Amino acid sequence: MSAPLRLVLFDVDGTLVDSQGSIVAAMTASFQSLSLPVPDRQAILSIVGLSLPNAMAQLASDQSNSVQHSLVEGYKQAYHANRLKMGAASSPLYPGARDVIEALHAVPEILLGVATGKSQRGLDALIEAHELERYFVTRQVADHHPSKPHPSMIDTARSETGVEASDTVMIGDTRFDMDMAQAAGVAGIGVSWGYHDRAVLNGAACIIETFDQLPRALDHIWT
């Protein structure tokens, strides 16, 4: 009897790549372009993982919808310009990320995917920059879903791959990722190196400190 298909979904910013410098710089540029007070670094990092409209609704809650929309567009332009200027260096992979992706991809019954608050354009550019095109069979982005923690991204990834909830795991660094996993009825694994304090990852089945701990954590969940 063959082993069941397993699905491992990764968040991107703060989980696979360290994009905080680019995120903070783009958010700063966007607010400054409208002569608005710039949120502090911790406030900016606290909304990483949300779709941009939801993020701006939190960071600029005292502003009108039209101003929030302008902030979203300003952020997109600044982030895109920074990515064009710096390439892969704008969002470097965390240590051990590529090794684990390659090791999991080599297991026939394991499928890999991403579930991210990034746009389709942003995700595709990042995957191309790091030459990861062949690894992810499903890519769920903010363009096509409600913001995390709504379970739509996970539900769609499971539908595309035909994998059961019990055989699906979500890897992420924020409470939005862990809440999304719970909402979708799948296990969540938190990572300690991202943008949210581990204290808020209380919905995680476990929390790992380094990427090389991920295969064992997956084995523990699935056995």
Side-chain angles (χ1 to χ4, degrees):
M1 182 175 178
S2 60
L5 284 178
R6 316 282 200 182
L7 176 60
V8 179
L9 294 171
F10 291 95
D11 169 57
V12 177
D13 296 309
T15 300
L16 286 179
V17 300
D18 187 4
S19 50
Q20 61 179 299
S22 297
I23 291 170
V24 172
M27 200 67 76
T28 299
S30 180
F31 274 78
Q32 287 180 340
S33 70
L34 297 182
S35 300
L36 295 174
V38 178
D40 64 39
R41 185 182 190 88
Q42 193 53 48
I44 293 172
L45 293 181
S46 75
I47 54 80
V48 174
L50 296 176
S51 64
L52 273 175
N54 290 50
M56 289 305 182
Q58 290 195 24
L59 291 177
S61 59
D62 57 338
Q63 301 296 324
S64 66
N65 288 340
S66 62
V67 170
Q68 291 178 15
H69 177 74
S70 295
L71 287 169
V72 168
E73 293 306 310
Y75 176 91
K76 289 179 179 178
Q77 293 171 13
Y79 196 95
H80 181 61
N82 185 63
R83 185 175 67 238
L84 290 178
K85 177 182 178 182
M86 298 184 64
S90 67
S91 298
L93 287 167
Y94 281 106
R98 183 179 298 277
D99 290 342
V100 166
I101 289 170
E102 291 177 350
L104 293 176
H105 182 260
V107 181
E109 64 268 22
I110 293 181
L111 304 176
L112 303 181
V114 293
T116 176
K118 297 179 88 65
S119 67
Q120 188 76 63
R121 181 178 73 170
L123 177 63
D124 289 349
L126 184 141
I127 286 177
E128 181 180 357
H130 289 292
E131 299 181 344
L132 297 173
E133 294 94 336
R134 67 190 182 94
Y135 295 106
F136 301 115
V137 300
T138 181
R139 304 180 189 180
Q140 307 304 321
V141 297
D143 301 28
H144 312 309
H145 298 280
S147 179
K148 298 176 182 180
H150 193 283
S152 177
M153 290 189 189
I154 295 177
D155 291 344
T156 303
R158 287 187 48 239
S159 177
E160 287 182 358
T161 57
V163 178
E164 298 292 334
S166 58
D167 294 318
T168 302
V169 175
M170 178 70 206
I171 320 295
D173 69 304
T174 72
R175 65 182 176 88
F176 310 126
D177 298 311
M178 298 303 101
D179 290 348
M180 179 173 65
Q182 286 191 318
V186 308
I189 294 179
V191 305
S192 67
W193 55 80
Y195 306 149
H196 282 195
D197 190 279
R198 64 183 297 148
V200 304
L201 304 180
N202 49 15
C206 65
I207 298 175
I208 59 174
E209 310 293 334
T210 56
F211 255 114
D212 60 5
Q213 294 176 351
L214 181 56
R216 180 174 294 183
L218 291 170
D219 287 343
H220 179 74
I221 287 172
W222 285 328
T223 57

